[in-house]
Amino acid sequence: MTATKPIVVGVDGSPSAIHAARWAAAEAARRGTRLVIVHACEPVPVHAPQVAVSTAEFGEAVRDQGRRWLATAEASAEVVAPQVEMSTELVTGGAAEQLIGRSAAAELVVLGSRGLGGFTGLLVGSIAVAVSTHAQCPVVVVREAQVDRPEDAPIVVGVDGSAASDAALKFAFETAALRGAPVLVVRAWRDALVDATRLTVLIAASVEAIEAEERRLLTEQVATCAQAFPDVPVRQLLSRDGPAPALIGQSASAQLVVVGTRGRGGFRGLLLGSTSQSLIYHAECPVAVIPPAHQ
């Protein structure tokens, strides 16, 4: 596979950003594409407190720091993938705005889960929701303390029958094919029942019947990708846990967890509340968030 679009990684001098740059470089090598390393300098506030240096001097100092961070990230990425064409960009503006703007022309956007400088709080609160919700390409979050996994560790993907999880499923198979890895498809059926009617449904049908239907739906959703990627080993897991515990548990032995930006049933609101935060903060491998349009 040779990609025509670059992988874009946002950096800010933090250890988490260095991990993200290294992950992005390795992925660029697999996909046969180039890597663009971006640092966003926030504009100096017009009404900033009085400082000993002028606004112009302060702004230049911030840019110099950004250049150093870019150079450090590039050097770290080159160690991982010296064959990859790399470039750096020092830009002015908000981190989310810059990454979302570049996502339309990117293969992937990659970032760390903790940040400093231009990417402070990138995955906390409204900025995280903005990037994950509005990016036009997959977004990969790399946590600082994650351990490298072997290439044959599974790619774990959460599905629930929605269009968003179809996109996530396709991305998982594509990624697994590049790495020679298996895919583990997880469907959490407990949350597939609407909360208000859960008790009625459980009374009306046996747990065995519900599980049988959920397994049928899981197999049906996986079938197209399994046929399109016959060389990718695939395993299916039907879990009674909620989506976050199910995926976090599997992340301990995975090299990547893949989810959609929106879902229904077991993955409803995955990036709008506690489930997304749980996955980002507690998954033991990188997390890829795939928009529905990426199909």
Side-chain angles (χ1 to χ4, degrees):
M1 175 180 178
T2 300
T4 58
K5 296 180 179 181
I7 291 177
V8 175
V9 57
V11 302
D12 62 1
S14 67
S16 183
I18 295 300
H19 283 273
R22 292 169 65 88
W23 190 97
E27 191 65 14
R30 294 187 191 98
R31 293 173 179 263
T33 192
R34 59 193 178 90
L35 178 65
V36 179
I37 306 171
V38 180
H39 172 69
C41 296
E42 295 284 355
V44 179
V46 175
H47 301 294
Q50 186 66 35
V51 292
V53 297
S54 68
T55 300
E57 290 174 319
F58 179 78
E60 186 56 33
V62 169
R63 288 189 289 274
D64 282 342
Q65 178 179 255
R67 294 185 190 100
R68 290 193 297 271
W69 285 342
L70 284 169
T72 299
E74 185 176 28
S76 184
E78 286 176 342
V79 171
V80 174
Q83 74 276 30
V84 170
E85 177 187 347
M86 300 182 191
S87 62
T88 61
E89 292 185 14
L90 184 69
V91 298
T92 300
E97 175 188 358
Q98 292 296 331
L99 292 181
I100 291 168
R102 281 163 174 73
S103 69
E107 181 79 2
L108 301 173
V109 168
V110 183
L111 53 147
S113 62
R114 294 289 188 277
L116 303 170
F119 289 88
T120 298
L122 187 57
L123 286 166
V124 180
S126 61
I127 298 179
V129 173
V131 174
S132 300
T133 302
H134 299 296
Q136 297 181 50
C137 71
V139 176
V140 178
V141 180
V142 181
R143 293 185 62 231
E144 179 181 337
Q146 288 163 346
V147 178
D148 290 337
R149 300 278 161 70
E151 288 281 296
D152 60 353
I155 306 294
V156 175
V157 54
V159 301
D160 63 3
S162 66
S165 67
D166 281 338
L169 189 63
K170 181 181 178 183
F171 180 88
F173 271 86
E174 291 172 345
T175 303
L178 286 172
R179 299 174 180 226
V183 170
L184 174 61
V185 187
V186 179
R187 180 177 174 111
W189 73 263
R190 190 185 71 188
D191 282 3
L193 302 176
V194 178
D195 290 344
T197 61
R198 179 179 299 164
L199 183 59
T200 301
V201 172
L202 287 174
I203 291 173
S206 67
V207 171
E208 290 78 9
I210 294 171
E211 287 193 336
E213 176 62 9
E214 291 293 323
R215 192 172 303 281
R216 183 191 68 78
L217 293 172
L218 174 57
T219 300
E220 185 177 274
Q221 186 173 10
V222 171
T224 299
C225 281
Q227 291 171 5
F229 297 89
D231 295 330
V232 174
V234 58
R235 185 164 64 91
Q236 300 175 26
L237 175 64
L238 191 63
S239 174
R240 292 192 191 181
D241 284 334
L247 293 176
I248 290 170
Q250 293 301 323
S251 74
S253 58
Q255 58 177 299
L256 183 70
V257 171
V258 185
V259 291
T261 55
R262 290 288 190 277
R264 64 169 182 263
F267 292 88
R268 183 190 301 113
L270 186 58
L271 287 167
L272 300 177
S274 61
T275 302
S276 63
Q277 292 185 18
S278 295
L279 199 56
I280 289 169
Y281 295 139
H282 301 297
E284 297 182 43
C285 67
V287 177
V289 182
I290 317 302
H294 189 78
Q295 296 190 68

